[in-house]
Amino acid sequence: MIIVTGANGQLGRMVTERLLERVPAREIGVSVRDVDAAQDLGAKGVRVRMGDFTGPATLAHAFEGASKVLIVSTDSTGETAVRHHRTAVEAAAKAGAQRILYTSHMGSNPSSPFPPMPDHAATEEALRQSGVPFTSLRNGFYASSAVMLISAALETGVLAAPEDGPVAWTAHTDLADAAVLALTGETLTGAALDGLTPALTGPEAIDMAGIADILTRLMGRPIRRVVVSDADYRARLLSAGLSEHAADMLVGLFAASRDGDFAPADPTLADLLGRPTVRMEDYLKSALAPAR
């Protein structure tokens, strides 16, 4: 039984649907907080059980009979995120899983200024201590995150953000395919997905100036990149209604990119998939089609 957590989320759902193309539905289980939202998977023969990272007993039931468990990282941060992930790792180990997989990040670093990165590093340490073979999928930065960062620029024609560095933007679809390969063992012949993986990224690292150039081509009108201070950017975010926590997260993102945490692009993901990965320009062309 292969168990996928967070199967109602974007990445978890993609992984589950792709697993169904390779593995009999009776050998797939999902651990979700909202069982009703996953009934379409149940109708296909997938075992659907409620599992909550705050409740070890629920995970014991959701992970029952697991041979492999994919722990999709939560959207929380800090001590809460680490506690949730550790609970899931411990539950997978107690369930007898032969391998635990986790959706980490290429920027995993205990000293990173971007809050989720120390959380990933702490979870990777929990995986090491579990005593179970593990795969920490060090995913590239989600390309979908860029859409949020550029939304105002599409209206104003100005991409105003702090000084940044290149980011190896990566599509969910490519990362979901890699997770499936790891879950089915199809890429483990060279131990490429054993322990900490290389960075699993798209084909190129692009900074905000490069994103502005792409938007200019796609939108058919100028999108100008303007560098603002961290403090000014944070103030703008707060005035737009974001919480202090969310504003600090985004400022930390740019600080980490300046440190080079999200670059360079790595060929490993394309090599694993046996095909080119999605280019950022192609991703944005599809994502921004209605605006264009």
Side-chain angles (χ1 to χ4, degrees):
M1 179 71 71
I2 296 175
I3 305 297
V4 179
T5 74
N8 286 332
Q10 186 175 3
L11 184 61
R13 179 55 65 103
M14 283 187 181
V15 170
T16 305
E17 291 176 346
R18 283 161 167 74
L19 273 175
L20 282 167
E21 299 172 0
R22 296 172 177 265
V23 178
R26 66 180 180 277
E27 297 177 11
I28 304 171
V30 296
S31 170
V32 294
R33 284 180 294 181
D34 185 352
V35 171
D36 291 339
Q39 285 309 307
D40 59 318
L41 295 174
K44 296 177 181 178
V46 173
R47 190 182 81 182
V48 178
R49 292 185 178 180
M50 199 282 281
D52 192 318
F53 287 5
T54 64
T58 68
L59 294 180
H61 180 61
F63 293 176
E64 182 183 6
S67 59
K68 296 176 184 176
V69 176
L70 173 65
I71 299 171
V72 177
S73 56
T74 69
D75 57 3
S76 55
T77 57
E79 181 182 343
T80 299
V82 175
R83 183 174 64 251
H84 288 173
H85 295 157
R86 283 177 176 160
T87 297
V89 169
E90 291 168 2
K94 289 180 180 178
Q98 298 165 14
R99 179 170 292 273
I100 304 172
L101 300 94
Y102 170 69
T103 58
S104 186
H105 200 285
M106 70 180 296
S108 174
N109 180 347
S111 60
S112 173
F114 185 42
M117 300 301 104
D119 303 341
H120 287 306
T123 302
E124 290 176 341
E125 183 57 31
L127 289 166
R128 291 187 189 95
Q129 295 176 3
S130 71
V132 178
F134 72 91
T135 299
S136 184
L137 297 159
R138 286 193 155 182
N139 293 339
F141 216 103
Y142 292 152
S144 58
S145 299
V147 177
M148 172 197 63
L149 296 174
I150 64 175
S151 59
L154 299 179
E155 298 294 329
T156 65
V158 176
L159 179 49
E163 179 186 353
D164 67 314
V167 175
W169 304 103
T170 312
H172 273 80
T173 51
D174 289 336
L175 295 172
D177 284 342
V180 168
L181 292 175
L183 285 166
T184 56
E186 295 180 27
T187 66
L188 292 177
T189 54
L193 294 184
D194 185 38
L196 303 180
T197 69
L200 303 176
T201 78
E204 53 194 346
I206 304 173
D207 61 12
M208 285 291 108
I211 295 293
D213 289 342
I214 290 173
L215 293 177
T216 295
R217 290 193 294 273
L218 294 180
M219 305 303 292
R221 52 187 170 84
I223 303 294
R224 184 165 55 94
R225 166 70 166 116
V226 173
V227 176
V228 299
S229 69
D230 287 1
D232 184 39
Y233 186 67
R234 185 179 186 276
R236 293 185 188 195
L237 295 174
L238 293 175
S239 67
L242 268 69
S243 67
E244 290 194 3
H245 174 71
D248 289 340
M249 283 266 290
L250 289 174
V251 171
L253 186 163
F254 284 96
S257 74
R258 290 196 295 268
D259 291 342
D261 288 358
F262 311 132
D266 191 289
T268 298
L269 182 56
D271 291 344
L272 291 170
L273 300 180
R275 59 169 175 78
T277 48
V278 176
R279 295 172 58 249
M280 189 57 174
E281 182 155 354
D282 293 332
Y283 177 85
L284 290 175
K285 183 177 183 179
S286 176
L288 300 179
R292 295 171 60 234

